[in-house]
Amino acid sequence: MNKRELARAVAVQADVEVKTVAAVLEGFTNVVTAVVAKGEPVSIPGFAKFVKVNRAARMGRNPATGEAIRIKASKKARITPVKAFKDAVLTPALAPKLVKGAYPTVDAAVVAAGKTVAPAAAKKAPAAKKAPAAKKVVRKAPVKRAPAARKA
């Protein structure tokens, strides 16, 4: 999955326009990159931890000749998945459920993302709670099929 496909899938899942999601993803990568470059770790609970790691100079061995060589100090980026993410990946039943059309992405769902607007009355809290209505069970009659024609 590339960045565009990710933006489309997130737009459908969160019911937000694709342009907004693309801008948020761009902002997210810029902020995480800048903060980790300064040496501060970034942790997203339930997902991953991004850290800049300083590796000290050390002695190594050339595998071809067996000669001892000096490996100079370096800086590395480390991204560590946290336990909740690993558990969801290793046990798919624990993974979050996606909205229909989020992945694989359906073009109609992407076009409709961000277009649904809840009416103003629905946003206000109701004055008093009503008792839940009894659910009606609707059963369809079994379909009668004509007997199959016999071949002569």
Side-chain angles (χ1 to χ4, degrees):
M1 176 179 275
N2 62 27
K3 189 175 180 179
R4 178 176 288 156
E5 292 168 344
L6 177 63
R8 290 168 53 103
V10 171
V12 173
Q13 179 70 20
D15 194 22
V16 180
E17 290 184 4
V18 178
K19 286 182 179 181
T20 305
V21 174
V24 169
L25 286 175
E26 186 68 29
F28 170 78
T29 56
N30 290 342
V31 169
V32 170
T33 304
V35 171
V36 173
K38 289 182 179 180
E40 293 291 323
V42 174
S43 179
I44 303 171
F47 183 62
K49 185 176 181 180
F50 303 84
V51 183
K52 180 179 180 181
V53 178
N54 294 319
R55 298 189 61 178
R58 63 192 189 278
M59 293 302 292
R61 193 162 298 278
N62 183 339
T65 62
E67 175 187 359
I69 58 172
R70 185 173 184 280
I71 302 171
K72 59 184 176 179
S74 63
K75 296 175 183 169
K76 303 288 180 195
R78 180 179 296 157
I79 302 171
T80 308
V82 296
K83 186 178 183 327
F85 179 78
K86 289 190 279 189
D87 290 346
V89 170
L90 298 175
T91 310
L94 298 177
K97 303 301 179 218
L98 296 178
V99 174
K100 186 175 182 180
Y103 188 81
T105 308
V106 176
D107 289 336
V110 173
V111 171
K115 304 280 195 250
T116 57
V117 178
K123 290 181 180 179
K124 293 180 182 177
K129 288 191 172 187
K130 296 179 182 178
K135 292 185 179 181
K136 293 181 182 179
V137 178
V138 179
R139 294 186 183 173
K140 293 183 179 180
V143 177
K144 293 183 181 178
R145 295 184 179 166
R150 292 187 181 179
K151 293 184 181 180

